[in-house]
């Protein structure tokens, strides 16, 4: 009897997505969320938290390459980076492709997400969790950032959507704490979900970002398993100039980084900042 996952309607009251579950590899209610890992004929292994698809083997690179390489190549000299969330290891794996990155701290609230990602999602995280540049911390990102004395060149907020336990990572207070631990020229990127189906995940968090950062810019990527069209990332920094890089300079940085990518290119990077009016209006 074929089982079907059911995307929680907590994200979209108007429609639901069902994915065929050819095999359930892992199912557990952790102290923080419902965790299901299953195999699907189209997406391969799929991770769902509280019924919401987080990442899949087949399309994870769309999301992780744009989350990581856009800010790293915009900044141009990232040495120390912080990932809040990201327990599947996909963003970590992309970040560690940059040889110039000296240390990455990953703060994930749910140890079990890391444990089974290492065991079952090697197609996404590879051996990134074994890299000696990694400092893995199991903690609530809000409290950890509040207590943090270190300084970072880049902060990536790779969290669950603002309708789940991750909502604490979309507040002005949290963004202010993040701004406080960014060094000179530091950048922050957060995932702002899919505006067409979750408009509330864009306007308010962006306004909250704007309270602590002088400059913000949004860029988009359409991730097949995130239904509803383009999803948006918000990049924040201390100056508008610090959020963009000229074409030739970007080409040179990409060539020097010698990255193997399947979605990211310098042209995709620059093009991703071109927003359709319906999204631009939401940003105001
Ligand atoms: N790419 C996914 C998306 O866009 O929906 C996010 C993937 S990642 C698995 C999200 C992670 O954020 C989860 O493992 C979850 O446990 C973690 N998380 C949620 N709230 C957190 C918090 N307050 N501090 C640290 N990690 C948190």
């Amino acid at each position: 009897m074929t089982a079907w996952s059911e995307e929680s309607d907590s994200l979209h009251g108007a429609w639901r997505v069902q994915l065929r579950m050819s095999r359930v590899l892992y199912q557990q209610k952790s102290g923080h969320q419902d965790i299901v890992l299953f195999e699907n004929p189209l997406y391969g292994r799929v991770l769902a938290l509280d019924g919401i698809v987080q990442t899949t083997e087949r399309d994870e690179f769309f999301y992780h390459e744009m989350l990581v390489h856009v800010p790293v190549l915009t900044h141009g000299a990232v040495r120390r980076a912080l990932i809040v969330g990201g327990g599947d290891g996909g963003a970590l794996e992309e970040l560690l492709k940059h040889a110039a990155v000296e240390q990455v701290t990953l703060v994930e609230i749910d140890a079990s997400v890391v444990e089974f990602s290492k065991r079952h999602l090697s197609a996404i995280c590879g051996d990134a969790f074994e890299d000696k540049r990694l400092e893995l911390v199991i903690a609530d990102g809000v409290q950890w950032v509040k207590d943090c004395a270190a300084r970072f060149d880049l902060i990536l907020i790779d969290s669950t959507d603002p309708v789940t336990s991750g909502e604490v990572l979309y507040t002005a207070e949290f963004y202010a704490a993040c701004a406080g631990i960014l060094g000179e020229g530091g950048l922050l990127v957060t995932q702002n979900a899919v505006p067409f189906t979750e408009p509330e995940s864009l306007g308010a968090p962006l306004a909250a970002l704007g309270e602590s950062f002088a400059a913000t810019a949004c860029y988009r990527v359409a991730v097949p398993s995130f239904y509803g069209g383009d999803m948006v990332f918000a990049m924040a920094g201390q100056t508008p100039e610090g959020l963009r890089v000229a074409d030739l300079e970007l080409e040179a940085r990409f060539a020097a980084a010698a990255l193997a990518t399947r979605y990211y290119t310098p042209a995709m990077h620059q093009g991703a900042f071109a927003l359709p009016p319906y999204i631009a209006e939401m940003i105001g």
Side-chain angles (χ1 to χ4, degrees):
M1 214 280 293
T2 303
W4 291 83
S5 78
E6 189 142 324
E7 173 119 321
S8 152
D9 66 354
S10 60
L11 268 183
H12 326 290
W15 48 279
R16 288 189 178 177
V17 172
Q18 289 195 305
L19 296 179
R20 183 190 297 274
M21 302 167 97
S22 333
R23 190 158 68 103
V24 175
L25 296 158
Y26 186 100
Q27 188 149 22
Q28 181 199 332
K29 196 170 180 41
S30 78
H32 301 281
Q33 52 215 340
D34 269 341
I35 305 174
V36 182
L37 185 74
F38 61 90
E39 279 174 356
N40 169 269
L42 171 65
Y43 288 110
R45 292 184 175 186
V46 177
L47 164 65
L49 298 176
D50 290 338
I52 300 170
V53 170
Q54 300 293 311
T55 193
T56 85
E57 282 181 325
R58 284 264 334 272
D59 69 357
E60 59 86 16
F61 64 93
F62 289 61
Y63 173 93
H64 290 125
E65 289 185 10
M66 292 303 275
L67 170 63
V68 171
H69 303 317
V70 169
V72 172
L73 295 174
T74 298
H75 184 286
V78 172
R79 299 291 174 268
R80 290 184 59 126
L82 168 65
I83 301 174
V84 178
D88 54 66
L92 176 65
E93 198 235 4
E94 292 301 328
L95 204 42
L96 292 169
K97 284 182 181 175
H98 293 268
V101 170
E102 294 162 4
Q103 195 208 351
V104 180
T105 303
L106 189 149
V107 180
E108 164 59 57
I109 199 168
D110 195 334
S112 32
V113 173
V114 173
E115 278 329 300
F116 73 67
S117 295
K118 284 200 276 193
R119 214 171 328 131
H120 298 290
L121 291 177
S122 56
I124 295 178
C125 60
D127 56 8
F129 285 109
E130 314 316 314
D131 194 294
K132 62 181 182 341
R133 293 173 287 173
L134 171 64
E135 176 198 15
L136 176 61
V137 180
I138 300 300
D140 173 0
V142 171
Q143 196 54 49
W144 192 89
V145 167
K146 218 182 267 176
D147 303 338
C148 177
R151 291 293 175 269
F152 297 92
D153 303 306
L154 176 64
I155 298 177
L156 300 176
I157 305 174
D158 181 14
S159 74
T160 41
D161 289 84
V163 291
T164 64
S165 62
E167 68 185 326
V168 290
L169 302 174
Y170 292 82
T171 63
E173 191 205 359
F174 176 62
Y175 294 145
C178 288
I181 61 169
L182 271 176
E184 189 61 35
L187 298 175
L188 175 146
V189 172
T190 180
Q191 72 98 349
N192 284 89
V194 178
F196 184 77
T197 53
E198 305 162 67
E200 71 289 345
S201 303
L202 186 57
L206 264 184
L209 264 179
E211 291 178 26
S212 300
F213 291 89
T216 58
C218 289
Y219 61 99
R220 58 189 169 78
V221 57
V223 180
S225 61
F226 291 3
Y227 295 88
D230 288 317
M231 74 156 291
V232 166
F233 291 109
M235 183 152 70
Q238 289 130 5
T239 65
E241 303 71 43
L243 300 183
R244 303 310 304 269
V245 52
D247 292 354
L248 287 182
E249 178 56 24
L250 183 58
E251 294 279 352
R253 290 178 186 179
F254 182 59
L259 301 170
T261 57
R262 297 169 58 209
Y263 189 93
Y264 179 92
T265 66
M268 292 301 289
H269 173 146
Q270 303 292 45
F273 287 87
L275 300 177
Y278 87 91
I279 294 181
E281 282 152 22
M282 288 183 198
I283 295 170

